[in-house]
Every structure is written in structure tokens, then in C-alpha cells.
Amino acid sequence: MSVCNLTANIANSIVGFAVLTLPTGMERLSDNGMATSEALGVGVVLLLVFGTLNAWTFTLIAEACERTGTCSYTAAWQKTLGPRTAWLVSSSTLLISFNNAVICQSIIGVCLTDLIGFFLEAPEELPRLRIQLLVVVAVLLPLCLLPSLKPLSAASTFGLAGTATTAATMAARALDTSYGPEGKFFEVVQWVPTFEQRAADPEGEIAGLAAVAPSASSVAFFLSLASSAYLAHFNAPLMYAETRPDRHGSRLAPFRAAAAIAFSAAAALFISIGGAGFATFGEAVQALVINNYAAADPLAAIARCGLFLTVLFEFPLLERPFRLTLAEQLGSSSGGKGRIHVFLSLGAITAVALAEPPLDQLAALGGATGGSLLIYIAPALMTLRLASRTILPRS
């Protein structure tokens, strides 16, 4: 695989629907009284810093696979840290795939309901949960029952195109102030945009920036969402195995270059979506920023259409790892073939999605637990163990 193709594949695996929760993460940064513009600046800096960190650990996984002669995350872990703790990787995969599948199905229900409301001009009368359940039975179940996911290989292209369309729509609405006090959608949105100014102390003086710095919990929440958005590290070994060596016979150099470009592009897209959503709605931004946009907004309808197609074909790609990993942990040899496993897996995901959990907290949970292990902890531990094996024999 050439550097260009590899860059596109890495970018496709990074960019997903989790980015839609970043604006609410930026809103959390202003909880201590920081102005909206200042919270936006802090969020942009954190996205850049942790985007760089994610790109670096992504390449560390490839280096671990190169030095251990393995081609999967679990195999690299077993070769470096031992098989007794390999269950941590599978458990992280189980949690992340389940969380993402629930978020994905919730977005399907939200987008389809808003799209139908846009065309019928009666969004408030539509039963979203019934529409979502109908999609599960009529569309998602047949897709999950497919014997092979190869027909859905174009989903990665849909994902990047849909997210880019959403980013362009949000940027356009942030620039034309359609949701501002004088905008045409200001009076029809469910959550009126509100913006914070710098907090004042008890004596009425404007507090300094240090006094209203974001709390540790709000920063941790935002970084958990960012980790969930950047997470693509489980695919690093497979992508490294498909990397075409350069003229020196090395695959690490082109892999590092592709990762740097892909994560830079992802960071730019994340800043665009997170910044545009937060700058447009401020403290009123919702857990899923697409909910903030008016159902009658034609640009938002285009974004919802692209997003709907993205998550519709991406759902089976998220459901199957959850089903297979769960079957593996339960010791079921037919986990990937039996229809009963599909019904049980899809039923569990649907039950949680229909309960309407807070999607930002769900994304943060995945990023803070399994995501942190796969992104930050495991690559560092594998690198340190490999370094000790190199140094200790010499000493």
C-alpha cells in the first residue's frame, strides 16, 4: 500500500461520529467561568497536543509489531507483556465496540427522524424511538446477518465524506450567523445559543484567566472525548502489515509519514467541527451537536443525510467486533456464525440505545477506559518492555 493510500485509510479509520461530541466537551471547559472564546482556545490547543500524542503512540504500535514479528495488537501484547494479561485488550475492544455501536444507532434514529421532519415539515410530531426501532428491524438486522462485510467496504469512504460534509455545514453556519440573534433560525431552534463572558469576582471585578481555568474534571472529560474521537490504534498492526516498503526496505518510515499526515488532517477536521459547533451554540450545545441545528435548515438536512448514510453502513462494522469478542470471551465457537448471536448482540445494543443514554458520557467512558489503554498505556508498556530486552543483555 502506497503512502497516499495508507494515509487515506488511516484517516478513514480515525474520523467517525465520535467527533460530534467534541463541542459539548468544549462547553465543559467553561464550567469555571471561562469565556466561550477562551474555552474554545483551550480546546483547540488540547486537540492539537493530543492529536500529536495519538499519532506518536500509533507508530509505537507498529514498531512493536515490527520487532516482535506480529500482525495484530493482541499478538504484540502477548509477545511483549505476556498472554496472562491479553484479556485487557479484548475487554477494551468489547467496551469500545459496544459503546460506539450504541452511539451509532442513536445517531441513526436522530438523523432519520430529523430528515423525515424536514421533508414533511412536521418534526415535532414524529416518534423517534419507533422510527429507530423500525430501522433496526428492517435495515440493521439484515446488514448484521450478512455472511461477509466486504459489500460494506465503501463505508469508510462514506464516513470521511459524511464527516467532511458535516464539518463544512457547521463552518458555514458559524460564519453566516444564521443561529445568531438576528439569524433566521434563532427563533426556531430548541436550544437558544448562549455565550459566557469572563466571570466576575465577589467585588465585581473581572476575574483573571488563571482564576477561571477549567477544572481537572472538565479537562479529563474533554480529553476522554478526544481520545474516543482519535481512536484508531487497534487497526495499526494491520495497516502496518500492508505498508509498502520504501527504497531502503523499511516500512516504518512511510508508515510514520502517513500517520503524521492522517492525524494532522483528523485534528484539523476535529477542530473545525468542535470549534464551529461550540462557537455557534456556546453553552447551549448538546451532547450530539447535530441536534442543535434546526430541522428546517436545508444545509443541516444535507449534513444529516451524509451522516445518516455514514452511520447506517458503519453500524455492522461496529456490531461484529462486539459480537465476536463477546463470543470469544464466553467461549462460544460459533459466535460469528450463529444467527442467535446476532439477535442477542443487536438486542443488547438496541435496548441501551432506546434508553437514550447521554451520548457524550458514553463516548467519554470508552475514551477514558478502553481507549486510554489502547492509545496511551499499552504502546508505552510494550515499548518499555522491548527497550529493556535490548538494554539488559548488553549490561
Side-chain angles (χ1 to χ4, degrees):
M1 187 185 301
S2 66
V3 173
C4 291
N5 291 335
L6 181 62
T7 301
N9 283 348
I10 295 175
N12 283 332
S13 65
I14 299 170
V15 176
F17 49 79
V19 66
L20 298 177
T21 63
L22 290 178
T24 192
M26 290 187 175
E27 185 273 330
R28 288 286 190 97
L29 295 175
S30 61
D31 282 352
N32 274 7
M34 181 177 287
T36 300
S37 58
E38 295 166 346
L40 178 61
V42 172
V44 169
V45 171
L46 291 175
L47 284 175
L48 289 174
V49 171
F50 273 77
T52 303
L53 181 59
N54 274 260
W56 179 49
T57 56
F58 192 80
T59 60
L60 288 182
I61 297 169
E63 292 179 16
C65 291
E66 171 71 19
R67 296 183 62 180
T68 57
T70 55
C71 57
S72 73
Y73 205 131
T74 303
W77 176 290
Q78 291 175 341
K79 285 282 189 177
T80 53
L81 302 173
R84 296 180 60 183
T85 56
W87 62 271
L88 289 171
V89 177
S90 58
S91 298
S92 298
T93 305
L94 186 69
L95 175 62
I96 292 169
S97 57
F98 180 78
N99 276 8
N100 288 346
V102 170
I103 297 173
C104 189
Q105 191 183 122
S106 300
I107 294 175
I108 289 173
V110 169
C111 289
L112 184 58
T113 303
D114 289 340
L115 283 173
I116 295 175
F118 172 76
F119 290 109
L120 297 181
E121 299 183 355
E124 67 280 353
E125 301 175 5
L126 299 176
R128 185 181 72 79
L129 296 183
R130 293 182 184 178
I131 292 175
Q132 182 173 338
L133 190 58
L134 179 62
V135 174
V136 169
V137 175
V139 182
L140 295 184
L141 179 58
L143 288 177
C144 292
L145 287 173
L146 288 174
S148 172
L149 295 181
K150 288 184 178 180
L152 303 179
S153 58
S156 60
T157 304
F158 274 123
L160 191 58
T163 308
T165 301
T166 303
T169 297
M170 294 173 62
R173 287 306 185 216
L175 293 174
D176 67 13
T177 64
S178 295
Y179 290 86
E182 304 298 328
K184 57 183 177 180
F185 297 115
F186 184 77
E187 298 293 338
V188 298
V189 292
Q190 185 174 356
W191 297 280
V192 178
T194 56
F195 301 92
E196 290 288 341
Q197 301 298 324
R198 183 78 69 82
D201 62 20
E203 298 181 357
E205 297 180 358
I206 300 299
L209 183 58
V212 295
S215 63
S217 60
S218 63
V219 173
F221 182 80
F222 178 74
L223 292 180
S224 297
L225 293 177
S227 297
S228 181
Y230 278 118
L231 180 59
H233 293 60
F234 202 81
N235 295 324
L238 178 60
M239 293 182 179
Y240 178 71
E242 297 177 351
T243 302
R244 181 189 301 169
D246 60 13
R247 57 191 180 89
H248 301 293
S250 172
R251 286 187 296 176
L252 277 176
F255 185 85
R256 287 171 179 156
I261 298 172
F263 275 90
S264 298
L269 197 60
F270 292 173
I271 291 171
S272 175
I273 291 179
F278 183 48
T280 303
F281 299 103
E283 302 302 308
V285 70
Q286 296 301 294
L288 197 65
V289 69
I290 198 69
N291 288 336
N292 281 96
Y293 292 87
D297 185 350
L299 277 184
I302 295 174
R304 288 186 176 104
C305 185
L307 188 60
F308 173 74
L309 292 175
T310 298
V311 295
L312 185 66
F313 293 108
E314 192 171 2
F315 180 83
L317 303 176
L318 298 171
E319 182 274 339
R320 182 160 294 194
F322 168 71
R323 186 204 328 156
L324 295 176
T325 306
L326 182 61
E328 180 183 339
Q329 291 198 343
L330 294 178
S332 174
S333 59
S334 61
K337 300 178 180 179
R339 290 194 171 191
I340 186 64
H341 294 87
V342 177
F343 285 105
L344 292 176
S345 171
L346 189 57
I349 294 169
T350 303
V352 177
L354 292 178
E356 298 184 305
L359 300 185
D360 57 337
Q361 296 182 24
L362 204 60
L365 175 65
T369 53
S372 294
L373 175 70
L374 297 178
I375 296 173
Y376 311 114
I377 300 173
L381 291 178
M382 290 190 294
T383 301
L384 290 173
R385 179 59 60 88
L386 290 171
S388 66
R389 291 178 181 176
T390 303
I391 296 173
L392 289 178
R394 294 179 181 177
S395 62

